[in-house]
Amino acid sequence: MEKKPHFVRREFLPREVPSISLALLLAAVLLLNALLYLYLNKFYNSLGRVETDPGLCPFGHFKFGAVKNCSPWLSCEAINREVRKLKCVGEGAVKKVFLSEWKEKKVVLSQLTNSELKEDFLHGLKMLKALQSKYVVRLLGYCEQQFTILTEYHPLGSLRGLNETLHIPKYKSMNTWHRRLMLAIDYVSVIRYLHNSPLGTLVMCDSNDLDKVLSQYLLTSDFHVLVNDLDALPLVNRSAGRLVKCGHRELRGEFVAPEQRWPYGEDVPFEDDFMPPYDEKTDIWKIPDVSNFFLGHVEGSDIVRLHLFDIHAACKKKNPAERPSAQEVLDTYRKVLTLLIREAAMPGTREML
């Protein structure tokens, strides 16, 4: 009897190989997803500026640098005795800022320059004390009698210099869509924190144009964002019917929210008493413009903008009540970061599957 050829092995082999390859690919995808989860979880907990910071000292104390122990905030006497001014590095409407030295460490000394604005200065100090967290510049001491505040020094300065910093050879590796989106996440995290602060819902009023917004925040040496200037931070209390107005002058331009502009037309002269108050959604209106600055024009930034288009369109709703909360914006930013990191790590995976 003639033996029949053995076709079984030849018939199934081509089917088994793709099955094995697909299984290996799925296993690789699952492994990569697990690694991404661990990375992003670390990012949100350590880099994502969560409120709970085990490194923070008890109220009234501070530590920074390599120092492990907490020290009490410096008093008037300690500031006068131990802090040495080096040079003036800035001056605004409320205060003058000096690069200074304390125990061979660089610090920042801020002093009131206009006695008519002492209430703003003291309000900023009150906010600085109450809001100490991973989102706020570290307070080292103060002297109310002399209208002086001592804070931690950050050599990269305010966010106004971000693009210039990213062109310095030392920091060029940071000039990526990924790092820029992380800075935008930091910024929205600060807004979310202020809107849900221990004191209640606070509005960032020193934000009438992009340059002014950027001047209120610092860029740390490890590339995070801290809010630095809290002089204009009024409280919204809906249950008590309390809304806010950012100053007593007319605000103009597309950067400020529609509800911050005089609603009665150019034929009616502006009068502060007749200007309607508003709430924290003015901060939401400004997020797309600030984030657009953060994203810059590096490779991949336009893809990020495309993914953020819907949430940014929602931020620009004319009706404040229709705008998302800062938490919703933050959640979307984080999802976009996760998605784009996954796609960058697994190019072509979707097509292979």
Side-chain angles (χ1 to χ4, degrees), residues 316-333:
K316 291 294 188 179
K317 293 278 189 182
K318 189 171 183 179
N319 183 353
E322 295 178 2
R323 295 174 205 152
S325 66
Q327 182 65 62
E328 290 170 321
V329 178
L330 181 59
D331 290 342
T332 301
Y333 275 37

Side-chain angles (χ1 to χ4, degrees), residues 117-136:
L117 297 175
K118 64 182 181 181
E119 293 303 321
D120 291 344
F121 184 91
L122 293 176
H123 176 76
L125 173 59
K126 176 185 175 183
M127 295 294 105
L128 196 54
K129 290 192 290 185
L131 299 176
Q132 285 294 289
S133 66
K134 294 186 76 170
Y135 302 105
V136 179

Side-chain angles (χ1 to χ4, degrees), residues 300-311:
S301 62
D302 286 341
I303 299 297
V304 179
R305 286 186 180 91
L306 184 63
H307 281 81
L308 296 177
F309 180 84
D310 288 341
I311 192 66

Side-chain angles (χ1 to χ4, degrees), residues 158-160 187 191 204-218 225-229 255-256 283 286-287 289-291 293-294:
S158 79
L159 288 176
R160 285 189 295 192
Y187 165 71
I191 298 299
M204 195 67 180
C205 266
D206 258 345
S207 55
N208 298 335
D209 57 65
L210 179 60
D211 192 65
K212 186 63 175 175
V213 170
L214 298 175
S215 71
Q216 309 301 304
Y217 296 85
L218 295 172
V225 174
L226 295 174
V227 63
N228 180 52
D229 196 329
F255 187 83
V256 297
D283 290 333
K286 298 160 189 174
I287 286 176
D289 299 293
V290 180
S291 290
F293 167 81
F294 278 121

Side-chain angles (χ1 to χ4, degrees), residues 12-30:
F12 280 92
L13 187 57
R15 294 182 183 177
E16 289 175 355
V17 172
S19 299
I20 293 172
S21 298
L22 182 59
L24 290 173
L25 179 60
L26 288 172
V29 169
L30 290 173

Side-chain angles (χ1 to χ4, degrees), residues 62 64 73-74 79 83 89 95-102 105-111 121 124-125 128-129 132 136-143 148-154 218 226-230:
F62 73 93
F64 71 105
W73 286 335
L74 272 64
I79 291 174
V83 176
V89 292
K95 53 185 177 287
K96 186 178 286 188
V97 180
F98 296 90
L99 175 62
S100 305
E101 192 174 59
W102 173 70
K105 297 182 179 70
K106 296 289 191 301
V107 292
V108 173
L109 188 71
S110 302
Q111 292 184 318
F121 184 91
L125 173 59
L128 196 54
K129 290 192 290 185
Q132 285 294 289
V136 179
V137 69
R138 188 167 290 138
L139 178 64
L140 308 180
Y142 64 92
C143 179
T148 299
I149 299 174
L150 193 70
T151 54
E152 189 174 10
Y153 172 62
H154 293 279
L218 295 172
L226 295 174
V227 63
N228 180 52
D229 196 329
L230 304 175

